[in-house]
Amino acid sequence: MLNSGGSVPALLYVANLCVALCVGAALKSDVVLENSATTLNHSMALVQRMEALLTQGNGSDVTLRVQTLNTDEVKLIQVHSLVLSLQSDVFDELLQTRNSTAMILRETPDCVAVFDKFIRYLYCGDITVRLNQAIPLHKLASKYHVWDLQQGLTQYMTQHLSSDSSTGHVVSWYQYATQIGDVTLQNSCLQYLSWNLSSVLHSAEWSSVSEELLLTLLQRSDLVLQSELELYEALEAWINQNQPSAETAESALKAIRYAMISPQHLFHLQKKSSVMLKYYESVRDLLYLAFQFHAASPIQLAKYFDVNCSLFAPRNYLSPAWGSPWVINNPTRDDRSFSFQTQLGPSGHDASKRVTWNALFSPRWLPLSVRSAYPEQGSLQPTRTDGGRPRIIVTPATSSPDFAGVSFQKTVIVSTRKQGKVVVRHVYNFHQSTEEAGDFLLEADLQRRASEYLIDSSLYLHIIVKPLYHSLIVAKK
């Protein structure tokens, strides 16, 4: 190995190597005059020799002493100042102000563990990333201003939210994104957790959810889970394990939508839930209102209470009372229809009432703006056209006086398989037809077998019908 004091200066050594490789490995004419001209690309040979340069330390003029914070552990790496300066303005400044051939860097244990990978990326431009390495590598890329690597890692995390890991990773990625102010990654993690909450509640990472993230999730109406009772039981487990402050526990318990839990289960919680017994006074009024909601008709309740609040708004419940799954094989082939039943509403007053729904799916539904020129305007039979887009219409099979004061929001959940795991790909909300939403399967290529919206060439949907109540008379004071 030749250091800066050797007979061949390190910068000249690296420069000569690059020139020799570029001249010998690739021939490219600045002006192409013949159709037979071509480009010879041997860039992989350059990458391999750059990697060997790092591994063997030939011509190294700097020794990185990477020290683990709060320990005496030091990792030594022989590097070339030219390479580091070209890749990072932070390294460039550090190298210009150094007093010796050794440069001391202090990093956290997780960053030290992947520092070799990080340096190799500066030489070779490629890197292999594991789920547990994404955050420390992102930290290093951000600290040393290696922006291409930082952006690539952000994209990697966004695309691998559904990957399997023994202890989970989405929660830690969300908390890291919040810490560094990466709003895009933060929102991607939050959306994934919300749309796949039922599986998250039963995973190892549920207990690692922070208080801030917990309260953020509990406020959302787009949570996809089996039932509100499932959410309460998971919250109880979280409180028992994390032992938060009384203020946090009470705030979390107040965010549960007790009106969406049946009276018999509410009675059981009052008597058997240790968390409910401990914090009963903080939620007593909410429980009382929930029991009133179950005892009276929605029309009667709307005369005295403001029912346009989150307490009476269902989330995306997957249980049979709220909707049904629908698997559409070869979705581009032709129109499909499907019928299913839901409970009229979540209240005990409506528990025995059922509504039958008719669902119509068309892979080539003609937009309203075009359909208005045809005599069949307003018909539920879709006009076939190559320019149409996939649409769903969900309508009740019959009308009923019980529908008074209630509007029905439809939600269609589209599932896909990522990294061998079935996850929610998208959630669409509408009232009659998905044409109201405008973006239903807008970017989906249903013709392609490997489409991100298909599982084994089939479209996996789950239709949910959510009754939303409206105040009929101003609530009495």
Side-chain angles (χ1 to χ4, degrees), residues 44-62:
M44 285 306 300
L46 175 59
V47 170
Q48 291 169 3
R49 296 198 185 188
M50 290 295 290
E51 184 173 14
L53 186 68
L54 172 64
T55 304
Q56 298 168 11
N58 294 334
S60 167
D61 60 336
V62 177

Side-chain angles (χ1 to χ4, degrees), residues 126-413:
D126 69 81
I127 192 169
T128 301
V129 184
R130 299 183 183 275
L131 295 174
N132 61 347
Q133 297 172 337
I135 289 179
L137 285 171
H138 196 281
K139 288 180 182 177
L140 292 173
S142 302
K143 179 177 179 179
Y144 294 102
H145 295 182
V146 185
W147 304 124
D148 287 344
L149 178 58
Q150 184 202 57
Q151 293 171 8
L153 288 165
T154 299
Q155 185 177 12
Y156 166 84
M157 288 189 275
T158 302
Q159 295 174 346
H160 286 75
L161 295 172
S162 59
S163 296
D164 281 326
S165 55
S166 57
T167 58
H169 56 279
V170 182
V171 170
S172 61
W173 287 359
Y174 170 85
Q175 292 168 175
Y176 173 69
T178 303
Q179 176 186 343
I180 64 173
D182 189 330
V183 178
T184 301
L185 178 58
Q186 181 182 355
N187 289 338
S188 296
C189 293
L190 186 57
Q191 178 179 281
Y192 176 85
L193 293 170
S194 300
W195 288 359
N196 298 276
L197 188 61
S198 191
S199 60
V200 174
L201 296 179
H202 301 283
S203 70
E205 64 181 334
W206 173 243
S207 61
S208 67
V209 168
S210 66
E211 295 181 2
E212 177 271 333
L213 176 55
L214 175 74
L215 296 176
T216 298
L217 286 171
L218 290 174
Q219 297 299 325
R220 295 174 67 106
S221 293
D222 64 339
L223 302 182
V224 177
L225 67 166
Q226 291 299 318
S227 66
E228 194 74 16
L229 180 62
E230 180 186 39
L231 183 59
Y232 176 87
E233 292 172 343
L235 173 59
E236 181 176 40
W238 184 92
I239 292 175
N240 287 331
Q241 186 158 355
N242 289 276
Q243 294 297 313
S245 65
E247 181 181 2
T248 298
E250 290 174 0
S251 296
L253 287 167
K254 288 178 181 178
I256 294 293
R257 302 179 182 183
Y258 296 100
M260 301 297 112
I261 301 176
S262 66
Q264 56 267 38
H265 284 117
L266 289 176
F267 281 125
H268 179 80
L269 295 180
Q270 281 185 292
K271 296 297 183 182
K272 301 297 183 179
S273 169
S274 59
V275 170
M276 178 66 73
L277 292 172
K278 183 176 181 179
Y279 297 102
Y280 177 75
E281 289 301 319
S282 64
V283 297
R284 179 179 57 183
D285 291 343
L286 292 175
L287 289 172
Y288 180 63
L289 185 58
F291 281 120
Q292 289 180 305
F293 169 76
H294 286 296
S297 70
I299 294 179
Q300 188 68 19
L301 190 75
K303 295 179 181 180
Y304 300 96
F305 296 100
D306 177 14
V307 293
N308 296 319
C309 60
S310 61
L311 178 64
F312 303 108
R315 308 184 204 262
N316 292 326
Y317 303 125
L318 299 175
S319 59
W322 297 87
S324 174
W326 188 13
V327 179
I328 303 177
N329 300 318
N330 300 317
T332 60
R333 190 182 62 199
D334 49 29
D335 305 331
R336 315 294 172 85
S337 61
F338 173 66
S339 295
F340 62 98
Q341 285 191 330
T342 64
Q343 187 173 308
L344 174 62
S347 73
H349 183 273
D350 295 329
S352 60
K353 301 174 184 177
R354 294 289 182 271
V355 180
T356 300
W357 299 93
N358 294 327
L360 172 68
F361 172 81
S362 174
R364 294 172 295 277
W365 179 261
L366 191 64
L368 279 172
S369 58
V370 178
R371 198 189 325 143
S372 58
Y374 290 80
E376 59 269 14
Q377 178 181 2
S379 172
L380 290 183
Q381 295 300 318
T383 302
R384 295 179 177 278
T385 172
D386 292 336
R389 284 161 40 191
R391 286 291 180 263
I392 283 183
I393 296 178
V394 180
T395 54
T398 59
S399 60
S400 169
D402 292 327
F403 293 1
V406 181
S407 66
F408 296 97
Q409 177 180 295
K410 287 85 175 187
T411 295
V412 173
I413 297 173

